[in-house]
Amino acid sequence: MAKANDLTQGKVSSLILKFYFPMLLTNMLQQMYNIADTAIVGKGLGDNALAAVGNMSSLTFLIFGFSMGLANGFSVITAQSFGAKDYKKLRRSVASSAMLCFIIALVLTLLSTAFLKPVLHLLRTDEAIMHDGLVYGYFIFGGLMATIAYNLCSCILRALGDSKTPFIAIIISTVVNLFLDTFCIFVLKTGVEGAAIATIFSQIVSALICFMKIRKIDVLSITKTDFRGNGALYAELFKNGLPMALMNSITAVGCMVIQYFVNGLGVAYTTAYSACSKFINLFMQPACTAGFAMSAFTSQNFGARRFDRIREGLHVCLTIATIAYVVLGSAMVFLPTYLARIMVSGSEPIAIAKTYLPICGIFLFGVDFLFIFRNGNQGFGKPLVPMISGIAEMALRIGVIALFIPVIGFRATAYAEASAWLGALILNAAAFEHTLRKHTATPKTKPEKLRSAA
């Protein structure tokens, strides 16, 4: 039987870095094969196909982000239970999370496929890319169960301090995805549906690998009794998962509004924005991963009431985010043309991308630090703060782009992103510091009170 990794004992920096790097490679590989997908579609099927797939990004973020938020929120209870050594609750939280995610996956699949076409029209999707967008969307949302299964399994493993298994799963699924992408598009000539099929199949592979590891963990010897309904536990899971899911969805709505304005500028702008978004998602990953590490580390140590270690973990994760900002923000500022040419071939989309990437590169620190503080709040079991910040992000995105796109054009999209990052950062940093100071100032609080506060 395999053992879970206890993050409440040992040197903080060593534990976080040991946990961080496999997870970083996992997330980078995910983004790299997303970029490879985009590049294969763009080079193999043309810029219109690339625009069609990219146009779906805000909508897929809405659905996938909601499911990922639920899985992350559910896993906070798992991590806190493990940190408190409450293994009965640990097993029941995992079993209950699995049941809830299965039901939610069915509902989201039905809703996303039923409303795909009207939503694409609502986003002012150009008719030149509408057909490919619908084909790609129906396949991707039809395979939503596989995506949610992987998200849940990987979140459970990370809650228990295992970042290596998701890494192995992504290595294998990336190879599978790239092979199928190339084979379907260049050999079978399938069109955009080939990219969608490759993505779904690779998600199934990664979910199975993570699931097999979960079955071997000694503290997760789940029995039928662990699946029995428990209203209090369901309520606790939703208390943590639903605000985080809504936060992602609210953020996605803001991104969809930006997509609406971008689509109104023409297909070349949609293509450029799609390519830029892929790079921003990639360059966010080092800090985003540090945020996931902060969540797992905070959750376990909060359950163990080791608040001094949480402060030390914050310093380690912020250092990682700072290094990532300096290196990757600089690449966006000084190498925008080179980056754009990796995915698009037209001169107009490349010129458009050059106006977007440097601005986001300058303000990349905002989203990098945001990941750390937001995930720290989630680890405390305080999901309402990130949800409120998600509302602020949406309001800032919509307000900035609506006001400034008539004045400065496409560059307004970059300033909308930057303002959303900075606004959410301020809210989450203040809330995290308040919570940590409150618990640090009352070290003699009884465990029962702390547990109920979670």
Side-chain angles (χ1 to χ4, degrees):
M1 298 290 285
K3 291 186 177 295
N5 296 321
D6 191 345
L7 301 177
T8 65
Q9 304 291 332
K11 188 177 179 181
V12 171
S13 59
S14 298
L15 283 170
I16 289 179
L17 292 176
K18 183 179 178 181
F19 182 72
Y20 171 78
F21 281 110
M23 190 162 50
L24 173 64
L25 293 173
T26 301
N27 291 342
M28 292 296 284
L29 275 173
Q30 282 184 305
Q31 293 302 320
M32 287 299 291
Y33 86 57
N34 285 339
I35 287 180
D37 274 348
T38 304
I40 290 171
V41 169
K43 301 299 182 182
L45 301 176
D47 283 352
N48 277 5
L50 169 61
V53 173
N55 186 57
M56 287 293 301
S57 60
S58 58
L59 187 53
T60 54
F61 179 35
L62 175 67
I63 305 300
F64 293 170
F66 184 87
S67 63
M68 187 65 183
L70 282 175
N72 278 328
F74 293 167
S75 69
V76 168
I77 304 302
T78 300
Q80 289 183 351
S81 301
F82 179 68
K85 305 300 184 286
D86 187 350
Y87 298 129
K88 180 180 179 181
K89 184 176 181 181
L90 170 66
R91 291 188 292 271
R92 295 179 72 185
S93 72
V94 170
S96 298
S97 297
M99 288 193 299
L100 292 174
C101 281
F102 176 76
I103 295 170
I104 291 165
L106 288 177
V107 173
L108 289 178
T109 299
L110 292 174
L111 290 176
S112 58
T113 52
F115 291 99
L116 176 60
K117 188 171 184 178
V119 170
L120 287 181
H121 280 298
L122 189 64
L123 291 175
R124 296 197 297 185
T125 302
D126 195 289
E127 287 300 323
I129 62 176
M130 176 62 79
H131 174 74
D132 280 346
L134 287 171
V135 171
Y136 184 81
Y138 285 134
F139 274 93
I140 284 292
F141 292 137
L144 188 59
M145 186 71 72
T147 301
I148 292 179
Y150 168 71
N151 286 340
L152 178 62
C153 290
S154 62
C155 284
I156 291 171
L157 289 171
R158 288 166 181 164
L160 301 180
D162 179 4
S163 59
K164 292 182 180 178
T165 302
F167 173 52
I168 294 170
I170 288 298
I171 290 177
I172 296 172
S173 64
T174 297
V175 173
V176 171
N177 186 75
L178 294 180
F179 170 77
L180 288 177
D181 253 346
T182 305
F183 182 74
C184 289
I185 291 177
F186 291 102
V187 178
L188 298 182
K189 308 293 185 182
T190 58
V192 294
E193 66 270 23
I197 292 169
T199 298
I200 294 166
F201 191 81
S202 66
Q203 291 280 21
I204 293 173
V205 171
S206 57
L208 287 173
I209 293 171
C210 291
F211 176 71
M212 295 304 295
K213 178 59 182 290
I214 288 173
R215 292 188 61 188
K216 296 179 181 178
I217 296 176
D218 51 2
V219 296
L220 284 181
S221 299
I222 296 174
T223 62
K224 291 182 179 179
T225 58
D226 294 315
F227 285 95
R228 290 177 182 171
N230 185 313
L233 182 56
Y234 288 160
E236 189 175 3
L237 289 168
F238 273 117
K239 176 185 173 184
N240 280 272
L242 195 56
M244 293 166 67
L246 290 174
M247 178 203 71
N248 286 345
S249 294
I250 290 167
T251 302
V253 170
C255 294
M256 290 173 69
V257 173
I258 290 182
Q259 188 76 61
Y260 168 85
F261 281 102
V262 171
N263 288 349
L265 298 174
V267 174
Y269 287 91
T270 303
T271 302
Y273 182 66
S274 299
C276 291
S277 296
K278 294 293 183 183
F279 279 112
I280 289 178
N281 288 336
L282 176 65
F283 289 175
M284 285 178 180
Q285 289 311 305
C288 179
T289 304
F292 288 140
M294 187 68 194
S295 178
F297 187 82
T298 301
S299 297
Q300 285 197 21
N301 283 280
F302 186 81
R305 300 176 294 281
R306 296 295 305 275
F307 304 113
D308 56 323
R309 291 172 62 83
I310 293 174
R311 173 73 69 185
E312 193 174 347
L314 173 66
H315 293 158
V316 174
C317 291
L318 284 176
T319 300
I320 294 171
T322 300
I323 295 170
Y325 165 64
V326 171
V327 174
L328 299 175
S330 297
M332 293 172 68
V333 171
F334 297 111
L335 301 172
T337 302
Y338 173 79
L339 293 175
R341 284 176 177 167
I342 293 176
M343 280 191 286
V344 297
S345 53
S347 58
E348 186 179 3
I350 291 174
I352 295 168
K354 285 172 59 178
T355 68
Y356 180 93
L357 288 172
I359 297 170
C360 287
I362 292 171
F363 291 100
L364 192 66
F365 75 90
V367 72
D368 284 353
F369 293 167
L370 170 61
F371 284 128
I372 308 302
F373 287 107
R374 184 166 63 195
N375 281 278
N377 285 318
Q378 292 168 354
F380 279 136
K382 303 288 186 181
L384 287 178
V385 173
M387 188 182 76
I388 293 170
S389 74
I391 296 173
E393 281 189 71
M394 179 182 69
L396 286 166
R397 278 192 176 94
I398 295 173
V400 170
I401 197 167
L403 286 173
F404 291 102
I405 201 167
V407 180
I408 60 175
F410 182 71
R411 286 180 299 161
T413 59
Y415 288 114
E417 291 290 348
S419 63
W421 298 339
L422 294 176
L425 169 61
I426 293 170
L427 289 174
N428 279 275
F432 180 90
E433 186 63 26
H434 171 75
T435 301
L436 187 56
R437 283 180 180 271
K438 181 177 68 174
H439 287 294
T440 304
T442 56
K444 294 183 180 180
T445 304
K446 292 181 180 181
E448 290 80 11
K449 291 184 179 180
L450 282 173
R451 193 169 293 123
S452 64

